[in-house]
């Protein structure tokens, strides 16, 4: 079963946010002047993520070959194993940072976009409006009665109270 890479996650986030395939968004993201600066930012960040995602794959393959089962590394290879492990950690950290940056760009786009109600919510509101239930709901609220009983004197009095 293939694993989902950070690049795949970022691609899915961008495609969902802009509701277009990544190939079309790549074309739109490189236009100058940019019509959507958030898309341009997301696409540039995705490009950087693709580079670090590729570096992760390379370092993982190198580390697997240097530490495969039954293989005894030579003394000089121990430094290479350590360097590869460190490079892998750095590439993973960079990839996570780029993925987080794409999340923030998508959140910014969603916050800046006008709120569009889900189709089910719009249909429910339209059905309520057509049925006249909004008027019935307003009529169901009890109105305050005009004759309220007053407790105590109707006018302020001076002097001691008994």
């Amino acid at each position: 079963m293939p694993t989902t890479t950070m690049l795949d996650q970022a691609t899915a986030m961008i495609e969902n946010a802009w509701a277009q395939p990544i190939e079309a968004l790549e074309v739109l993201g490189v236009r100058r002047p940019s019509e959507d600066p958030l898309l341009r930012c997301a696409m540039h960040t995705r490009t950087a993520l693709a580079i670090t995602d590729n570096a992760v794959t390379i370092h993982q393959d190198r580390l697997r070959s240097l530490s495969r089962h039954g293989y005894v590394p030579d003394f000089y290879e121990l430094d290479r194993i350590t360097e590869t492990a460190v490079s892998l950690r750095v590439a993973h950290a960079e990839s996570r940072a780029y993925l987080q940056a794409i999340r923030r760009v998508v959140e910014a786009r969603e916050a800046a976009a006008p709120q569009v109600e889900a189709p089910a919510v719009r249909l429910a509101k339209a059905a309520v409006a057509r049925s006249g239930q909004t008027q019935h709901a307003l009529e169901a609220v009890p109105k305050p009665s005009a004759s309220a009983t007053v407790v105590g004197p109707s006018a302020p009095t001076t002097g001691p109270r008994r």
Side-chain angles (χ1 to χ4, degrees):
M1 181 171 153
T3 59
T4 304
T5 65
M6 289 186 204
L7 182 61
D8 295 335
Q9 292 175 18
T11 300
M13 277 191 286
I14 293 169
E15 286 178 341
N16 288 339
W18 275 270
Q20 291 185 30
I22 198 70
E23 294 80 17
L25 294 173
E26 286 173 339
V27 172
L28 293 174
V30 296
R31 285 189 184 160
R32 283 198 174 217
S34 178
E35 295 170 8
D36 189 353
L38 290 175
L39 174 62
R40 187 173 177 81
C41 179
M43 296 311 293
H44 282 297
T45 307
R46 183 183 174 276
T47 301
L49 177 61
I51 293 168
T52 58
D53 201 43
N54 194 18
V56 164
T57 304
I58 290 169
H59 293 307
Q60 283 174 337
D61 291 345
R62 184 177 298 152
L63 197 57
R64 280 189 198 111
S65 71
L66 291 171
S67 62
R68 65 187 175 270
H69 183 70
Y71 178 75
V72 179
D74 290 330
F75 180 74
Y76 67 90
E77 290 179 318
L78 295 178
D79 284 340
R80 190 180 307 164
I81 291 171
T82 304
E83 289 173 10
T84 302
V86 168
S87 298
L88 178 61
R89 287 186 65 135
V90 169
H92 266 297
E94 288 176 349
S95 292
R96 283 191 300 273
Y98 287 132
L99 185 61
Q100 187 68 17
I102 290 172
R103 276 192 193 108
R104 296 295 179 243
V105 169
V106 168
E107 288 171 1
R109 182 177 193 280
E110 290 170 355
Q115 293 297 325
V116 178
E117 294 177 337
V121 174
R122 283 184 287 163
L123 290 174
K125 283 185 178 181
V128 168
R130 279 193 308 268
S131 69
Q133 288 180 357
T134 54
Q135 183 62 30
H136 296 299
L138 291 175
E139 292 173 358
V141 176
K143 296 179 181 173
S145 62
S147 62
T149 28
V150 179
V151 178
S154 61
T157 59
T158 58
R161 292 189 181 183
R162 296 185 195 195

